[in-house]
Amino acid sequence: METSGTAVHHAPWNKGKIVGQKAPFKLKDIWALRVRLQLEGRIRELALFNLGIDSKLRGCDLVALKVRDVCHGDQMAARAIVMQHKTQRPVQFEITAGTRDALQKWIKQASLKSDDFLFPSRLHESPHLGTRQYARILGHWVDELGLDRADYGTHSIRRTKATLIYRRTKNLRAVQLLLGHAKLESTVRYLGIEVDDALEISEQTEV
């Protein structure tokens, strides 16, 4: 027997939200943020941002990096290899000169040792920066750039360099390796390139 007025209606989790792939950052936004972080002496954030762009790692892997992953003694590594938490597969990435410089300054400022987490948490319950903290920091970056938070997330950092590499080279296999995907189909879906490429071809076709 049904009773009136007792039904509870739950709103869909995605009501009013923009869902789907998060946008990669544009080059002008990358450099605008880098300049801001440098001028304001936000060394930790600059190191985090630069390493996020270079490494193309998921947020959970980025925040769990240790000093020894990117630094051999006093020497910053030009390349690194880490085991991905999600897939348990190793992935390699480059550490560019600007990122090495930012990391070196941050490690020195924070007096970090080899076994320390690269980005220690400022909260007592966590040994390193958490993914939610990382997402909040990224949200502030998006605000500072005057962009819409709904369009960007931590995967925006992961996708940025991968998207630029694909656009310049069209080498899907290289991007797959850099992102650490087991299947090429995953890379295709992750970059959303089928739709983008189809639209690009369509735009260039006059009727």
Side-chain angles (χ1 to χ4, degrees), residues 84-104:
Q84 299 172 99
H85 179 75
K86 181 179 178 180
T87 63
Q88 291 302 303
R89 292 165 60 93
V91 66
Q92 295 188 61
F93 58 88
E94 74 287 356
I95 306 174
T96 58
T99 300
R100 292 198 299 271
D101 182 59
L103 285 170
Q104 205 158 31

Side-chain angles (χ1 to χ4, degrees), residues 71-171:
C71 191
H72 305 144
D74 294 330
Q75 191 72 32
M76 295 301 304
R79 290 184 180 179
I81 182 167
V82 297
M83 190 67 72
Q84 299 172 99
H85 179 75
K86 181 179 178 180
T87 63
Q88 291 302 303
R89 292 165 60 93
V91 66
Q92 295 188 61
F93 58 88
E94 74 287 356
I95 306 174
T96 58
T99 300
R100 292 198 299 271
D101 182 59
L103 285 170
Q104 205 158 31
K105 287 177 180 174
W106 164 240
I107 290 168
K108 183 178 180 182
Q109 184 191 73
S111 301
L112 300 176
K113 304 293 187 291
S114 180
D115 281 336
D116 291 339
F117 285 105
L118 198 50
F119 301 105
S121 176
R122 291 169 180 171
L123 303 175
H124 293 298
E125 60 269 22
S126 177
H128 59 73
L129 188 71
T131 50
R132 287 187 179 182
Q133 291 172 281
Y134 175 41
R136 280 196 291 271
I137 292 169
L138 183 130
H140 291 309
W141 292 341
V142 172
D143 290 343
E144 289 178 279
L145 290 168
L147 302 172
D148 189 342
R149 280 200 187 200
D151 295 334
Y152 295 87
T154 55
H155 271 278
S156 296
I157 299 285
R158 174 163 157 80
R159 292 184 72 210
T160 292
K161 198 165 186 178
T163 302
L164 288 171
I165 291 167
Y166 177 74
R167 287 281 164 231
R168 288 175 182 173
T169 67
K170 299 294 183 184
N171 189 333

